Amino acid sequence: MTLPRYDQPPAVVLGLGQNGLGTVRALGRVGIPVIGVDDDLTQPGAQTRYCHKVLAKDFTKGGPALVEQLVELGVELERQGQKGVILPSGDLNIQLVSEEREQLEPYFHLSLPSKEVLRLFLDKKSFYKLAIERGFPLPRTYFTDGEHDIEQIAREIECPCLIKPFQPNATWRQTFDTRLFLADSRDLLRKLYDLIYPVHQDLIIQEYMPGDDDQVCWGVTYLDANQKPLARWAGRKIRQYPRGFGTATLAESLDDPELAQMAIDILTAVGHRGYGVVEFKRDRRDGKRKITEATGGRTWFPHSIVTRSGINLPYIWYRDVLGLPIEPQGAYEVGIKWIHEERDLKTVQLYFLPEGRLTYWSWLQSYRGKRTYAYAAWDDPKPFLTSMGRVLKAGRKRLQRLFTTREPEKVRARESRPKHLQEILLAADPTVGHGLRRVTVD
């Protein structure tokens, strides 16, 4: 393995997807040397000029082979008298780093909570159970611990409700085209359960909180070893893909100290330290914000908006793990918008325009103000150019489907399924386009 010569500890960013790209740029722009590790060096984020790239063939597989590759990288740095700072960008690599920390710590600086705390963030079922025990704000949630629980759940839960796997397995992915279903009646919930349970027994059933995408918000922080917040930030989604149940495609920074403090209180209560995010949604029924997800130990999807707002969390992370002084973080810029060029185009075309929620004019108006982008940057243009190449390629394929298929959206339908099964699943799938959806997503 050949590396450049480093005169200070390099940051080792695991993953060069959109998450990793945001971290690489945040550090590279302030003069920190960065090594990016991934198994796909053709993706847009891997075209950045701000890091040295290392190909790790076993990156997405994880496991012992990737640990060996990271140790090999650490040994090379050790020969230079350096010890890298690992910054994970996804669940798979943060899980690996946490569980194998004893092998990695001789070669890398890590900022992690205990293994038990990190497992909470990776195990939604355990986190939800802890949240219920601690009285954290959460929509009513049930777990299918036995085959006959569904009748009791159906009697107690309010509809609409979500039914989703605790952790989607290979069989789930091969069988279904979505990660969750939405039941708008108890009868549909029972039918879905009967269809889903044979495929995946470990299910979560949760009340659906009505509210538009812009009611989803985040509190973000970095907690030092004493759980002191070194920074705090708040923001919200404006749009997401898929609409109602996906990841942000258009987001905005907010002035909301209460939201940021809610996240800090939850993260400190579970014993977290390091980078942390709690996502909430305001429940239209009672006006309260309730937890949808918590993330710890890694960056989260649109985190470059925090950097653009004036708080460089990856840099704070880097300096904290090295024991370097950190300047107090004060006010940040409010109203900064973050745009994912590929995914926002997709969600607007698939959901918002067909449903009449946007016109072409209001779509353009939604980008007004100061902006930052997932890929586009004047000082680092190659990720955006590569991304746009993918968009054009996808556009050509879509045009081909339009001219060769009468109902192009029905590529989601599997011909091998019995018709009644397909109808039930499509009726309850909130992520399909307007032409197929039977459920209401508000």
Side-chain angles (χ1 to χ4, degrees):
M1 183 181 295
T2 303
L3 296 175
R5 294 293 303 178
Y6 296 112
D7 58 5
Q8 61 178 307
V12 179
V13 177
L14 302 184
L16 290 173
Q18 184 267 309
N19 262 20
L21 175 62
T23 305
V24 167
R25 284 173 168 171
L27 294 169
R29 285 169 175 157
V30 294
I32 304 301
V34 183
I35 299 170
V37 180
D38 208 311
D39 62 353
D40 180 7
L41 299 187
T42 65
Q43 63 183 303
Q47 311 315 307
T48 178
R49 70 182 185 89
Y50 280 111
C51 74
H52 174 80
K53 292 93 178 179
V54 172
L55 178 66
K57 294 181 180 179
D58 294 294
F59 185 77
T60 52
K61 296 177 183 176
L66 180 56
V67 175
E68 289 175 10
Q69 289 177 297
L70 291 175
V71 168
E72 181 185 349
L73 173 60
V75 169
E76 288 297 317
L77 291 173
E78 189 177 46
R79 291 191 180 117
Q80 298 187 22
Q82 300 295 348
K83 190 174 180 180
V85 178
I86 284 186
L87 292 89
S89 64
D91 282 349
L92 184 62
N93 46 68
I94 184 59
Q95 182 178 28
L96 178 80
V97 169
S98 178
E99 295 300 322
E100 305 297 336
R101 63 181 70 188
E102 292 82 7
Q103 292 189 60
L104 297 173
E105 280 177 330
Y107 306 101
F108 299 101
H109 298 282
L110 305 177
S111 175
L112 297 171
S114 68
K115 289 183 180 181
E116 292 71 27
V117 169
L118 202 46
R119 287 170 188 155
L120 277 177
F121 295 121
L122 297 170
D123 181 341
K124 286 184 172 59
K125 186 174 181 179
S126 295
F127 180 81
Y128 285 150
K129 285 186 174 181
L130 179 68
I132 293 168
E133 291 172 5
R134 298 285 184 90
F136 295 161
L138 195 72
R140 187 176 293 180
T141 304
Y142 297 87
F143 310 99
T144 55
D145 296 319
E147 190 170 353
H148 305 293
D149 286 350
I150 189 61
E151 286 305 321
Q152 180 183 351
I153 295 171
R155 285 194 299 269
E156 295 180 6
I157 200 165
E158 290 187 28
C159 290
C161 62
L162 304 172
I163 180 168
K164 54 188 176 180
F166 148 61
Q167 203 68 272
N169 56 20
T171 308
W172 176 283
R173 295 188 183 96
Q174 291 166 7
T175 307
F176 305 122
D177 297 309
T178 181
R179 62 188 178 90
L180 54 80
F181 292 97
L182 180 65
D184 56 6
S185 69
R186 291 179 172 84
D187 182 56
L188 181 54
L189 174 61
R190 292 186 184 97
K191 289 179 180 178
L192 285 169
Y193 182 84
D194 289 342
L195 293 171
I196 293 170
Y197 189 82
V199 175
H200 198 295
Q201 289 75 47
D202 203 355
L203 299 169
I204 295 172
I205 301 176
Q206 190 174 59
E207 286 184 357
Y208 171 65
M209 293 182 287
D212 290 330
D213 287 351
D214 60 7
Q215 296 303 302
V216 180
C217 52
W218 308 282
V220 184
T221 189
Y222 185 93
L223 304 173
D224 68 12
N226 298 315
Q227 292 193 305
K228 175 185 175 183
L230 301 181
R232 59 185 72 205
W233 180 92
R236 65 165 180 149
K237 291 181 181 180
I238 298 176
R239 288 192 290 270
Q240 58 186 332
Y241 176 80
R243 189 174 81 77
F245 301 95
T247 53
T249 65
L250 178 63
E252 182 180 36
S253 57
L254 296 177
D255 179 16
D256 196 331
E258 180 183 350
L259 174 59
Q261 189 61 49
M262 282 179 68
I264 290 169
D265 291 344
I266 289 165
L267 292 168
T268 54
V270 301
H272 184 54
R273 69 143 300 180
Y275 196 111
V277 182
V278 182
E279 181 182 277
F280 303 87
K281 183 176 182 180
R282 190 180 294 279
D283 190 333
R284 184 190 295 158
R285 296 169 298 183
D286 57 16
K288 295 180 180 179
R289 284 171 170 158
K290 298 173 185 176
I291 301 170
T292 57
E293 188 175 19
T295 303
R298 67 166 180 87
T299 53
W300 108 112
F301 199 61
H303 74 94
S304 57
I305 187 177
V306 185
T307 309
R308 175 62 182 82
S309 300
I311 298 179
N312 192 333
L313 283 175
Y315 188 48
I316 291 171
W317 183 344
Y318 177 87
R319 293 187 67 85
D320 177 62
V321 79
L322 293 176
L324 300 174
I326 297 168
E327 295 182 4
Q329 303 295 307
Y332 54 86
E333 198 165 356
V334 173
I336 299 295
K337 289 180 178 176
W338 174 91
I339 303 164
H340 193 293
E341 302 93 320
E342 289 184 17
R343 295 170 70 89
D344 199 55
L345 176 64
K346 196 171 184 178
T347 199
V348 167
Q349 294 291 338
L350 186 58
Y351 303 112
F352 286 85
L353 289 175
E355 294 171 12
R357 291 175 172 269
L358 285 175
T359 63
Y360 283 100
W361 176 245
S362 61
W363 175 21
L364 293 175
Q365 288 290 99
S366 69
Y367 296 141
R368 291 181 63 186
K370 294 184 179 180
R371 301 176 298 276
T372 189
Y373 298 88
Y375 294 121
W378 288 111
D379 63 335
D380 192 24
K382 286 186 177 180
F384 173 74
L385 296 175
T386 307
S387 169
M388 288 302 99
R390 295 200 310 192
V391 170
L392 292 173
K393 185 177 180 180
R396 285 197 300 270
K397 288 183 178 179
R398 184 169 178 81
L399 284 174
Q400 288 172 356
R401 289 199 300 268
L402 284 171
F403 287 111
T404 58
T405 309
R406 290 183 180 178
E407 297 175 279
E409 276 197 305
K410 288 195 175 179
V411 295
R412 292 290 298 268
R414 295 179 185 268
E415 294 180 359
S416 59
R417 290 178 182 152
K419 184 178 180 181
H420 75 282
L421 171 59
Q422 184 63 34
E423 288 177 351
I424 291 172
L425 295 179
L426 284 178
D429 185 349
T431 67
V432 296
H434 186 63
L436 287 179
R437 187 180 306 134
R438 300 292 182 271
V439 295
T440 299
V441 183
D442 43 15

